[in-house]
Amino acid sequence: MVKDIVTDNEILSIACEKATAEDAPIIDDLLDTFDSLEDVACLAANQIGETKAIVVYLDEHDEKHVMLNPVMRQALHPSKVEEECFSHEGEPKKVTRFAWINVSFDELKDGKLVPRKQKFEGWTAQIIQHMIDHCKGKLV
């Protein structure tokens, strides 16, 4: 089901709970909402009112991916970049992002959570960091 985008800072500032396999309906809603939006690169569950650590993002090939419980384990090459957020209007904000990251996360496969680790670079690394911040309740 397509959900409204949450813009309330109080809700978005709440750290998300760990996602479980039982949160599959949230993934469906997140994907439906993501697909309904134009010019979106990533979306976190708290942006649709669900305080679970679930994110969806487009990689550099415009392929959609879902992560549950993402955690950045390593990060290299910090720099200041300007970012906008779908939940906030206004001018882009300067934030520190890393050009290379190593992330652990869960993937839902056949109704079970499967642990994964993956390295990311460039634009994909930047938007995943933005999503991890959302899961922590950290606003840009």
Side-chain angles (χ1 to χ4, degrees):
M1 174 188 322
V2 174
K3 302 278 188 145
D4 291 332
I5 299 297
V6 173
T7 57
D8 184 330
N9 284 348
E10 189 173 323
I11 293 169
L12 294 170
S13 296
I14 298 170
C16 293
E17 301 168 30
K18 191 169 183 160
T20 66
E22 288 75 36
D23 293 318
I26 296 172
I27 296 170
D28 294 337
D29 291 346
L30 189 61
L31 289 168
D32 289 345
T33 304
F34 186 91
D35 290 340
S36 75
L37 300 169
E38 290 183 30
D39 298 324
V40 64
C42 53
L43 197 63
N46 65 352
Q47 291 179 281
I48 62 166
E50 300 287 351
T51 54
K52 292 290 189 161
I54 305 171
V55 303
V56 61
Y57 69 94
L58 291 177
D59 67 15
E60 63 276 357
H61 305 292
D62 285 337
E63 293 181 32
K64 217 176 334 179
H65 301 275
V66 175
M67 288 181 166
L68 290 82
N69 310 313
V71 176
M72 193 165 54
R73 298 295 181 188
Q74 291 178 298
L76 298 172
H77 313 298
S79 65
K80 289 283 188 187
V81 298
E82 286 191 347
E83 282 187 359
E84 296 177 279
C85 182
F86 219 75
S87 293
H88 298 287
E89 292 183 14
E91 296 298 314
K93 305 289 187 218
K94 283 218 176 240
V95 294
T96 299
R97 295 292 184 222
F98 297 90
W100 181 96
I101 60 173
N102 191 359
V103 177
S104 65
F105 60 97
D106 295 316
E107 187 175 50
L108 187 63
K109 288 286 186 188
D110 300 321
K112 296 183 182 186
L113 293 186
V114 179
R116 303 271 190 232
K117 289 182 184 175
Q118 191 169 346
K119 296 173 185 167
F120 300 94
E121 296 181 59
W123 169 248
T124 305
Q126 182 178 340
I127 61 174
I128 289 172
Q129 290 168 80
H130 185 95
M131 292 292 91
I132 290 172
D133 281 353
H134 265 289
C135 290
K136 293 178 179 179
K138 182 178 175 184
L139 304 175
V140 171

